[in-house]
Amino acid sequence: MKTSIAIIGAGIAGITLARALAPSADVTIFEKSRGLGGRMANRRREDFAFDHGAQYFTARSPAFRSVAEDAVQAGHAGTWPRAVLTLTETGLAPDSRPAERRYIGLPGMSGFANGMAEGLHIRKEAAVAALEPAKDGWSVTDSEGQDLGRFDVVISTAPAPQTIRLMPEAFSGHAAMKTVKLSGCFTLMIGLDASLDLGFEAARIEDDVLSWIAIEASKPGRPERMALTIHSRNDWAEANLERDRSEVQTEMLAALKRLLGYDFSNATWLDLHRWRYANVEKAVGEPFLFDDALGLGACGDWCLGNRVEAAVGSATALSELLTKRLQGA
């Protein structure tokens, strides 16, 4: 009988880990949301489309570059933008960072994750809330106390603060997880009836409130309706995480008016999303955490850094350890 493994979270780390382990184990992914991809998320509202999480990803290692290019060939990913500018109160300027190939999911950002997840056993809208010792493994239950099954090994790919709450005190990775520092972000989504030529597809913003703006219609595979996605600064979001949402939205709109000269407060569509764990400020500094005696582990971008590729690298490293463990079982 194959070893049974539960993976908590269907973000890129969870999907990468499941893909690697599926040939040699009985793997189930539990995802609390309806969609896959974690922060590689998209939202559709009234014929507007927004990538309201990660805006693109890069692939600097040969292994992940191969995965990304395979996704492009399969139609699950494309490239965007042609250039990233810098927006300040004095206008637009070229980005000073080195140019590199940037990828996005198709037809929305989650399309990349959906393509990677084909063939995997995923239980959506299943929020794992507790792990209890069971005979030779762990019993997994959801937030309503429903039994989700018994597993030999459980791996959490949720953000470190959520994984800390889930793992038993005996888990050897607690001290390392407590060193992780994450920051939040607010995403403002604006849908307009009329098109605007703002002079860019995407821009980093130098401002006290805002950090990024994207023209969604400039991305391949997206609807043509004019939609803007704007991210706040992470430090500003941290200082305002518990603030009234309408006040946050008003201040972000005011910053946008100051930068672009447009008042979007009466736009056809306005929405605000709060990401409590959006950015890795301080990572664990090792690829993954695994307690062999308990059969419990954790991985994710927060182990290595702040990029999609960090999540892939973390999950890949843990999968290599677990595969050796499975082969020796």
Side-chain angles (χ1 to χ4, degrees):
M1 182 178 293
K2 285 186 175 181
T3 298
S4 59
I5 299 178
I7 296 174
I8 301 167
I12 296 302
I15 292 170
T16 299
L17 183 62
R19 276 166 55 101
L21 296 177
S24 52
D26 183 4
V27 181
T28 300
I29 302 178
F30 294 100
E31 170 54 47
K32 67 179 181 180
S33 304
R34 290 177 292 178
L36 310 181
R39 295 192 300 278
M40 294 183 70
N42 47 268
R43 178 176 294 180
R44 288 182 178 269
R45 294 289 189 272
E46 298 185 2
D47 297 326
F48 295 109
F50 306 92
D51 292 327
H52 64 296
Q55 295 296 289
Y56 61 79
F57 61 94
T58 56
R60 296 169 185 169
S61 71
F64 188 47
R65 192 177 305 120
S66 176
V67 171
E69 290 296 332
D70 285 347
V72 172
Q73 292 300 314
H76 301 308
T79 58
W80 174 92
R82 287 170 292 184
V84 176
L85 302 184
T86 298
L87 175 63
T88 70
E89 287 189 355
T90 60
L92 289 166
D95 188 26
S96 60
R97 305 187 191 192
E100 58 184 331
R101 192 166 168 86
R102 306 176 183 93
Y103 300 88
I104 61 171
L106 294 177
M109 202 65 184
S110 63
F112 177 68
N114 291 336
M116 289 182 65
E118 288 180 356
L120 299 178
H121 181 211
I122 301 175
R123 295 184 59 177
K124 299 178 183 178
E125 298 185 85
V128 174
L131 305 176
E132 296 293 338
K135 184 179 179 181
D136 299 323
W138 295 91
S139 176
V140 178
T141 56
D142 67 13
S143 54
E144 297 179 353
Q146 299 293 317
D147 181 19
L148 297 176
R150 192 208 66 81
F151 298 88
D152 299 313
V153 175
V154 179
I155 307 296
S156 175
T157 66
Q162 296 173 340
T163 298
I164 287 172
R165 292 193 292 269
L166 187 63
M167 289 292 177
E169 285 299 321
F171 178 58
S172 60
H174 271 293
M177 285 191 293
K178 289 176 182 177
T179 67
V180 174
K181 290 183 173 56
L182 305 176
S183 60
C185 179
F186 286 103
T187 302
L188 180 63
M189 291 159 273
I190 302 173
L192 302 170
D193 285 331
S195 294
L196 286 177
D197 183 2
L198 297 177
F200 57 84
E201 294 178 333
R204 294 186 178 91
I205 303 175
E206 293 182 0
D207 183 65
D208 292 337
V209 176
L210 306 180
S211 67
W212 172 267
I213 181 170
I215 314 300
E216 294 291 348
S218 68
K219 301 175 182 177
R222 271 55 169 183
E224 293 182 0
R225 295 195 77 182
M226 188 70 182
L228 308 177
T229 297
I230 300 98
H231 283 173
S232 73
R233 289 175 56 104
N234 297 111
D235 55 358
W236 185 85
E238 277 297 296
N240 291 276
L241 272 184
E242 306 305 328
R243 192 175 172 189
D244 182 85
R245 300 290 184 89
S246 64
E247 294 179 0
V248 169
Q249 180 171 294
T250 296
E251 192 161 341
M252 290 182 71
L253 285 168
L256 203 57
K257 183 178 180 180
R258 184 176 68 248
L259 289 158
L260 294 178
Y262 291 98
D263 182 358
F264 295 119
S265 58
N266 293 313
T268 306
W269 180 262
L270 280 173
D271 200 3
L272 185 75
H273 183 84
R274 180 184 68 177
W275 296 98
R276 185 174 289 278
Y277 307 119
N279 193 69
V280 180
E281 302 289 346
K282 182 182 178 184
V284 169
E286 53 188 288
F288 58 83
L289 304 171
F290 187 71
D291 190 318
D292 190 68
L294 295 179
L296 295 174
C299 68
D301 58 357
W302 50 268
C303 287
L304 290 174
N306 195 44
R307 300 167 55 244
V308 171
E309 193 164 2
V312 172
S314 173
T316 300
L318 179 53
S319 74
E320 291 170 354
L321 173 81
L322 291 174
T323 297
K324 291 178 183 178
R325 188 179 189 268
L326 292 168
Q327 291 172 345

